[in-house]
Amino acid sequence: MCENKKKMVRIGMAEMLVAGNPTVITTTVGSCIALCMYDPINRIGGMVHIVLPRKADHSKEEKFDMLIRYADKAVPALLSKLISRGAKKEFIRAKMAGGANMFPMFTHPILNIGRNNAEVVKKKLAELSVPLVAEDVGGNHGRIVEFDVGSGIMRVNTINKGEKEL
């Protein structure tokens, strides 16, 4: 999926990585969201693996590492980290994948986590004036996501559906 000379780095749930070229960041998502942001001019990009839509106001205080599991905290955190590494806000673009309904046979609203994750990510990106230029969300299959920091290309391999490039 990627050129041999590029460094491949895998992130897990509730993890974030910002890197320069030549790096490919990868993760696997179901109802979670893989949010990628990048500055194509300065060739800096990052990915955050978002688990839940928002942090409940009444929940206990958490370390920063744990806050990035929430869409409402992860989106501004990734943007801030990119800017601190030299990206320019006016050039930053976003792509996302995931947000699947992994239990389509059940209809309880709590199982709409994937859709809710995607909605909160889109809302936060709009609030921060970061354009969402591509997305592959919804459905009921997991995805393997690879993000090439240098080119801004996101490759999404949807389980049982094939691969696409965004």
Side-chain angles (χ1 to χ4, degrees), residues 48-116:
V48 62
H49 186 129
I50 297 168
V51 181
L52 296 167
R54 60 186 59 81
K55 181 176 176 356
D57 292 332
H58 63 276
S59 63
K60 65 179 179 154
E61 195 60 37
E62 297 180 67
K63 294 181 189 174
F64 173 78
D65 293 6
M66 299 312 290
L67 286 176
I68 62 171
R69 77 176 58 200
Y70 306 103
D72 64 337
K73 304 297 182 192
V75 177
L78 180 57
L79 178 62
S80 178
K81 185 81 167 180
L82 282 165
I83 292 169
S84 76
R85 290 282 306 270
K88 302 294 181 213
K89 185 173 185 304
E90 61 268 22
F91 300 138
I92 294 174
R93 305 289 178 258
K95 296 180 179 183
M96 72 176 186
N101 177 358
M102 300 306 291
F103 306 100
M105 68 290 292
F106 301 111
T107 59
H108 195 281
I110 198 161
L111 298 176
N112 289 330
I113 293 169
R115 184 179 62 208
N116 294 339

Side-chain angles (χ1 to χ4, degrees), residues 1 28-29 100-102 104 136 138-144 156-164:
M1 282 176 129
T28 303
V29 292
N101 177 358
M102 300 306 291
D136 182 28
N140 57 7
H141 291 88
R143 295 166 169 88
I144 299 167
V156 182
N157 187 343
T158 304
I159 311 304
N160 298 326
K161 299 284 184 182
E163 184 177 306
K164 66 173 77 167

Side-chain angles (χ1 to χ4, degrees), residues 7-67:
K7 179 181 174 186
M8 178 77 79
V9 181
R10 173 166 284 285
I11 65 169
M13 292 177 72
E15 290 184 343
M16 178 173 66
L17 178 70
V18 170
N21 190 49
T23 304
V24 174
I25 307 169
T26 184
T27 196
T28 303
V29 292
S31 61
C32 296
I33 296 284
L35 173 65
C36 302
M37 287 189 209
Y38 64 104
D39 172 342
I41 306 300
N42 294 295
R43 296 174 63 148
I44 299 169
M47 179 190 288
V48 62
H49 186 129
I50 297 168
V51 181
L52 296 167
R54 60 186 59 81
K55 181 176 176 356
D57 292 332
H58 63 276
S59 63
K60 65 179 179 154
E61 195 60 37
E62 297 180 67
K63 294 181 189 174
F64 173 78
D65 293 6
M66 299 312 290
L67 286 176

